[in-house]
Amino acid sequence: MPDESMRELLERRLLWVGGKGGVGKTSVAAALGVLASRRGRRVLVASTDPAHSLGDVFDIALGDTPRRVRPGLDAMEIDPDVEVEAHLSRVTAQMRRYAAPGMMDELERQMRLSRQSPGTQEAALLERLSRLMTDDDTPYDLIIFDTAPTGHTLRLLSLPEAMAAWTDGLLAHNRKSEQLGKVLDHLTPGSGRDLDSPFDEGAEGKRDSLDTRTRDIAETLLARRRLFHQARRRIEDAEANAFLFVLTPERLPILETARAVSSLEQAGIPVAAALVNRVLPADADGEFLAARRRQEASYLARIDEDFSHLPRPHLPWLPSDVQGMAVLETLADHLESGGL
């Protein structure tokens, strides 16, 4: 991909920054946000990693709603626990419309238990991300997602298809339940009701209740399915969405990134670049650093071979921690000089 395409990376609508834990994804995501906002774009950097460090990088306290960190740039740390609570509250409120009062204590107990169920946080997080991705009225030109380590990210990006299939199953089940309900309504004798006349007032009331409940549930599930399908289409749209991997010139990040790039490309998700972070500066001296540079050179050559079909910009290893706007401005300068 030529340098001009790299510059277009920040012209997209959605940008995912991912990679193995500890390679500097959050610093890169923050610096990309600084660079895009310097170019006049309205940017939101959103962290989806449960072990948030975006606020530490900006050296500012962040929460579950966007906060301004510099002109044109907002940041937020999406809290999975907050998303789970909101999701379960919506489910509980909906169940209250259909469940008998005597069942609510048990249903609420089940909701409390489901807070810790496998996949609950990911499902709630996916819904929040999907709404961010598909909201055309958002005040941002670019949303940068600082994602969790690669394995989590791959599961997150595969959930729309799984959730859509799950919703289809529930809809099919509801259709069967509706048909079964009508059959049982016809066959079950009521008090003083003629079996040959299922359309008496009692049966009609039950049928109306069943139809209303089924219709409400179906509408809810269909809206959820549409949301996930829309999110998936946004993710696959190469003109609006891109995934940038961050790695360091070391063996394990190279191996994991190669697997992740292959998985995303097979899934039809556009990968824009593999950014190599913490490359030793050319003017670093000393025998220790010389030995490190020789080892690094072999890994850089391997990166060039394994990711030859992707741009491979480099970021230098800085002499200080990445924290605060001054250091992020420096990183943004490096990104710009590197072709972005």
Side-chain angles (χ1 to χ4, degrees), residues 77-98:
E77 294 177 338
I78 298 175
D79 188 337
D81 290 331
V82 171
E83 297 308 314
V84 168
E85 289 299 323
H87 175 71
L88 294 182
S89 294
R90 289 192 295 270
V91 172
T92 302
Q94 190 171 38
M95 288 194 307
R96 285 183 184 278
R97 299 168 57 188
Y98 308 120

Side-chain angles (χ1 to χ4, degrees), residues 32-214:
L32 287 168
V34 170
L35 179 57
S37 65
R38 289 198 320 207
R39 293 177 178 171
R41 303 213 80 197
R42 298 169 300 171
V43 186
L44 171 67
V45 181
S47 171
T48 68
D49 191 336
H52 293 301
S53 57
L54 187 61
D56 296 331
V57 168
F58 280 116
D59 198 19
I60 190 171
L62 295 177
D64 197 60
T65 56
R67 178 176 179 180
R68 182 59 49 88
V69 296
R70 81 181 303 276
L73 176 60
D74 292 353
M76 66 186 295
E77 294 177 338
I78 298 175
D79 188 337
D81 290 331
V82 171
E83 297 308 314
V84 168
E85 289 299 323
H87 175 71
L88 294 182
S89 294
R90 289 192 295 270
V91 172
T92 302
Q94 190 171 38
M95 288 194 307
R96 285 183 184 278
R97 299 168 57 188
Y98 308 120
M103 295 177 59
M104 283 311 302
D105 287 345
E106 176 61 21
L107 289 172
E108 288 177 352
R109 187 182 76 86
Q110 293 295 331
M111 288 296 101
R112 287 194 297 271
L113 291 175
S114 69
R115 284 175 174 81
Q116 305 304 321
S117 298
T120 300
Q121 282 195 348
E122 284 183 314
L125 180 60
L126 171 68
E127 185 166 347
R128 176 71 178 277
L129 293 180
S130 297
R131 296 190 187 284
L132 274 175
M133 284 187 279
T134 59
D135 182 5
D136 292 326
D137 295 325
T138 183
Y140 303 107
D141 304 312
L142 169 66
I143 300 177
I144 300 174
F145 295 106
D146 168 35
T147 70
T150 305
H152 182 184
T153 298
L154 292 175
R155 291 195 300 275
L156 184 64
L157 293 177
S158 68
L159 269 175
E161 292 175 345
M163 295 294 287
W166 175 77
T167 304
D168 286 340
L170 283 179
L171 287 171
H173 175 74
N174 275 322
R175 283 192 291 270
K176 291 178 182 178
S177 296
E178 181 182 10
Q179 294 165 0
L180 177 61
K182 290 180 178 179
V183 171
L184 292 176
D185 190 47
H186 178 76
L187 296 178
T188 303
S191 176
R193 183 173 55 167
D194 184 354
L195 283 178
D196 294 327
S197 304
F199 299 107
D200 61 14
E201 182 177 351
E204 187 69 29
K206 288 182 179 180
R207 230 180 354 266
D208 288 344
S209 175
L210 177 65
D211 290 345
T212 300
R213 181 180 65 184
T214 301

Side-chain angles (χ1 to χ4, degrees), residues 269-324:
I269 297 171
V271 178
L275 187 146
V276 188
N277 194 26
R278 297 177 187 154
V279 177
L280 287 172
D283 57 357
D285 54 12
E287 183 56 34
F288 174 80
L289 288 178
R292 290 287 304 179
R293 186 175 286 107
R294 287 192 293 272
Q295 181 183 41
E296 179 183 87
S298 68
Y299 287 132
L300 289 173
R302 180 169 179 175
I303 289 172
D304 286 340
E305 179 179 350
D306 290 353
F307 306 103
S308 58
H309 65 300
L310 296 174
R312 298 172 302 282
H314 291 186
L315 277 179
W317 201 344
L318 300 181
S320 63
D321 292 339
V322 178
Q323 186 174 36

Side-chain angles (χ1 to χ4, degrees), residues 245 256-266 271 274 307 309-310:
F245 275 98
E256 182 167 327
T257 302
R259 289 193 295 267
V261 167
S262 176
S263 297
L264 288 184
E265 290 179 339
Q266 289 176 13
V271 178
F307 306 103
H309 65 300
L310 296 174

Side-chain angles (χ1 to χ4, degrees), residues 314-336:
H314 291 186
L315 277 179
W317 201 344
L318 300 181
S320 63
D321 292 339
V322 178
Q323 186 174 36
M325 194 56 65
V327 180
L328 289 172
E329 294 280 3
T330 299
L331 266 185
D333 291 340
H334 285 296
L335 287 168
E336 192 162 35

